[in-house]
Amino acid sequence: MAKTGTTTQGLRAAIERSGYYPALVAEAVEAAVGGEQIASYLVHQETTFDANEVRRHVTVLVLTANRFIVSHTDEQAADTSSPTPYATTSTESVKLSRISSVVVSRVVANPESYTPGTLPREVVLTIGWGAVSRLDLEPAACGDPNCEADHGYTGSSTADDLSLRVSEAGDGPDTVRQTLAFAQALSEATAATR
């Protein structure tokens, strides 16, 4: 489930509708936003299956005039560190000028008959600001199939701070639409800060 909008009251209502520890999530997000005006937000609650456990997770993205705020809340089962179940909430505030990439990957069915404006089947929103990078390395090789020399390594570094996947089948068409709207607002805001 994802909800998007542009007001503090709307953000609070979307967090409450997600049904995922709304008091905890709202307090963390509102403390991070402070008194700033909200330009756009997205609330995405997702359920994952880990072996024989069901885990829930909520991500809240907020755009203000100056910052991008991301909040994650995860629940954990009782373990050796806690005899009762618990939740962990974290928020990160990023200056818009630090955002280096906003990637929107769209998956469409039957691309040969695609009509502009048709919703994608799936959207992956990836946002990079340099806090986390993924390094993919592989042995380098030359074109000679008989060469046994060590050519070192080759690879790529990818900004991978946040990746959020939504699908029409799993989350519904409104969620896909809302994710695209938030991505557009964030892209426009980061372009304006350059």
Side-chain angles (χ1 to χ4, degrees):
M1 168 194 339
K3 299 294 174 200
T4 188
T6 58
T7 67
T8 302
Q9 297 83 4
L11 173 59
R12 170 66 90 139
I15 290 170
E16 288 175 2
R17 277 193 305 276
S18 80
Y20 185 79
Y21 306 120
L24 173 66
V25 173
E27 180 181 52
V29 171
E30 289 169 0
V33 171
E36 285 190 74
Q37 188 80 10
I38 294 173
S40 186
Y41 64 82
L42 178 67
V43 177
H44 183 255
Q45 193 260 320
E46 125 183 82
T47 303
T48 58
F49 301 94
D50 182 19
N52 57 355
E53 292 182 8
V54 176
R55 292 191 179 187
R56 296 181 302 160
H57 171 88
V58 69
T59 301
V60 179
L61 308 178
V62 179
L63 176 62
T64 71
N66 303 305
R67 298 182 298 147
F68 166 67
I69 298 162
V70 58
S71 174
H72 295 288
T73 303
D74 292 290
E75 65 182 357
Q76 306 294 325
D79 58 21
T80 57
S81 69
S82 175
T84 60
Y86 60 98
T88 304
T89 299
S90 63
T91 56
E92 183 172 1
S93 176
V94 181
K95 288 183 180 182
L96 289 178
S97 60
R98 286 201 49 222
I99 294 179
S100 56
S101 65
V102 178
V103 180
V104 180
S105 300
R106 303 164 191 246
V107 177
V108 297
N110 303 313
E112 68 282 353
S113 60
Y114 176 78
T115 304
T118 302
L119 276 181
R121 183 173 72 191
E122 180 180 308
V123 172
V124 179
L125 172 61
T126 304
I127 303 166
W129 57 91
V132 178
S133 292
R134 183 179 66 241
L135 187 60
D136 295 318
L137 294 175
E138 61 184 40
C142 66
D144 181 359
N146 298 316
C147 180
E148 295 180 15
D150 182 355
H151 294 284
Y153 290 89
T154 185
S156 62
S157 176
T158 308
D160 199 16
D161 295 308
L162 174 78
S163 191
L164 184 78
R165 177 189 171 272
V166 297
S167 69
E168 187 176 24
D171 301 295
D174 285 343
T175 300
V176 173
R177 210 174 276 108
Q178 292 160 355
T179 302
L180 290 170
F182 183 84
Q184 182 174 349
L186 182 60
S187 289
E188 290 170 358
T190 58
T193 63
R194 303 276 180 235

